[in-house]
Amino acid sequence: MRIIDHFVAGGGLAPATRPDVGRWGDVFDPNLGEVQARVPLGDAAVLEAAVQAALGAQPAWAATNPQRRARVMFRFKELVEQNIDALAHMLSVEHGKVLADSKGDIQRGLEVIEFACGIPHLLKGEYTQGAGPGIDVCSMRTPLGIGAGITPFNFPAMIPMWMFGVAIACGNAFILKPSERDPSVPVRLAELMLEAGAPEGILQVVHGDKEMVDAILDHPAIKAVSFVGSSDIAHYVYRRGVEAGKRVQAMGGAKNHGIVMPDADLDQVVADLAGAAFGSAGERCMALPVVVPVGDKTADALRSKLIPAIAALRVGVSTDTGAHYGPVVNAAHKQRVENWIRTGVDEGAELVVDGRGFTLQGHEKGFFIGPTLFDRVTPDMSAYKEEIFGPVLQIVRAPDFETAVRLPSQHQYGNGVAIFTRNGHAAREFAARVEVGMVGINVPIPVPVAYHSFGGWKRSGFGDHNQHGMEGVRFWTRVKTVTQRWPDGPSPERGAEDGAAARVQDAFVIPTMG
């Protein structure tokens, strides 16, 4: 049985070669429904070994000039690109997403690494000459020390790189706790970072469940925590981390809406929905699981086009290059999604296409779910209120534009939203009024580019800083402001004794800047 060990510097841990000792998690092959590896579920002792290694490495790394740190990021980017095929295969056979999605997962992470390569410019502070008589003021961004990331199963490459890329470039050490469901890629990324020239202890990986999460949130040497996962856990992480005096950004769940105006190009909308709702088996926080056509005429036309498009989707094993999407991550998640489909039926929604019971020949034990379509879903249904996180698309009919704005604005989640229209005024009005953190206009998955920031509102995001972009730089650093004066010495008109007395007197006066 393959063992996926912790990646902790300095030999602080014995190799995890005894699956009969301690607590362990199973890593499945979602295509076959079989265990392919095991991962140790670490505790506070494992974390302490990683923290001690980080404490030893971080001061010298912070003292390394930003240009040299940038060179490590450039080299890391090159190594990931050279290994992208192997990384994508590793990701697909543990997560279940098809190879094209796995490469996209890695590429979107690399875009943040590219952003982090510009860290010499990003860390430039502010300077004011002559803020007062002979007084200059400057500010500088300094690293926090040790940061930590707790990442979900659905993007095991992208989200870790979103976090550690900026944190490490800013001069911090970083401890990553990835999902125990698909931990191989995060470990491999840490190995590549070491190969790129980062010192041992700057990027480490520890595995675990709630026990490890609590140890991270409680450890006094860890100054900041970034989290992505479900909203209930995000709220827990935020609250416990803040109570422990940490800086915390915690991204939660989502229920993203796609508004379809009567003037929209329905063929393009259907093509976009096929990827946005069903791609990666719907296991994306930026998926588009709710479509809101405005007016029954629009809804009927959209539905008639969606049905054949869904029938044409090909569900296959994650290494099948012709498949549109693969299995979900494990049996428990498959059961959860199917339970939500049953709940939708019980609540009175019209089940147009039922993906339950889907099997693939030769992979009958795999965690596959066929594409599912509901119509006439209403806002009072729990299947609408909650995140399903599977290949399920719901049609919620809106009689008018005002209702279409109100639906996502009043939802408990506020991660992303999209509007499909040819009308510039309607798009502008919608973007200005909707209460959601990320808006797409004729863009079904509005994930911002790396030099902007990612983050939702309401129960989709807890904390004051978003992921990556300058928001990420601000999160992983703190500002130090220096006010300085360089006196010229005694005045020529006064003797040394008078000058010394004047300097003592001046020391009791706070300099004015005006």
Side-chain angles (χ1 to χ4, degrees), residues 202-393:
I202 290 301
L203 177 58
Q204 301 174 88
V205 181
V206 295
H207 305 298
D209 51 13
K210 184 179 183 297
E211 183 175 343
M212 179 60 78
V213 169
D214 287 346
I216 289 171
L217 295 174
D218 294 342
H219 201 294
I222 295 174
K223 303 302 182 185
V225 175
S226 183
F227 172 87
V228 175
S230 69
S231 289
D232 287 344
I233 300 177
H235 189 207
Y236 170 83
V237 166
Y238 178 74
R239 186 179 66 251
R240 184 160 178 161
V242 169
E243 288 173 353
K246 302 187 191 310
R247 183 177 292 184
V248 182
Q249 55 178 193
M251 306 300 163
K255 192 78 171 190
N256 306 319
H257 294 58
I259 312 304
V260 182
M261 298 297 290
D263 66 339
D265 180 343
L266 291 187
D267 291 331
Q268 185 62 56
V269 171
V270 168
D272 286 343
L273 285 173
F278 302 110
S280 197
E283 294 172 317
R284 297 170 175 158
C285 68
M286 287 299 285
L288 203 62
V290 177
V291 60
V292 183
V294 177
D296 278 337
K297 183 178 178 181
T298 306
D300 292 342
L302 179 64
R303 170 175 164 160
S304 68
K305 289 178 177 290
L306 275 171
I307 293 171
I310 290 172
L313 291 175
R314 176 174 170 178
V315 183
V317 296
S318 57
T319 53
D320 179 357
T321 56
H324 292 99
Y325 73 86
V328 297
V329 69
N330 61 19
H333 192 63
K334 176 183 177 180
Q335 187 61 56
R336 178 181 181 276
V337 174
E338 291 186 340
N339 287 345
W340 275 118
I341 296 172
R342 184 178 67 250
T343 298
V345 173
D346 293 344
E347 291 181 326
E350 180 186 352
L351 184 58
V352 181
V353 180
D354 189 352
R356 294 173 296 179
F358 180 93
T359 57
L360 200 63
Q361 186 174 359
H363 297 79
E364 287 80 7
K365 294 182 180 180
F367 309 134
F368 296 95
I369 304 174
T372 297
L373 176 66
F374 278 103
D375 193 3
R376 303 189 186 280
V377 176
T378 57
D380 61 312
M381 296 178 179
S382 61
Y384 165 77
K385 295 176 182 178
E386 301 297 335
E387 183 178 38
I388 295 176
F389 219 60
V392 180
L393 177 61

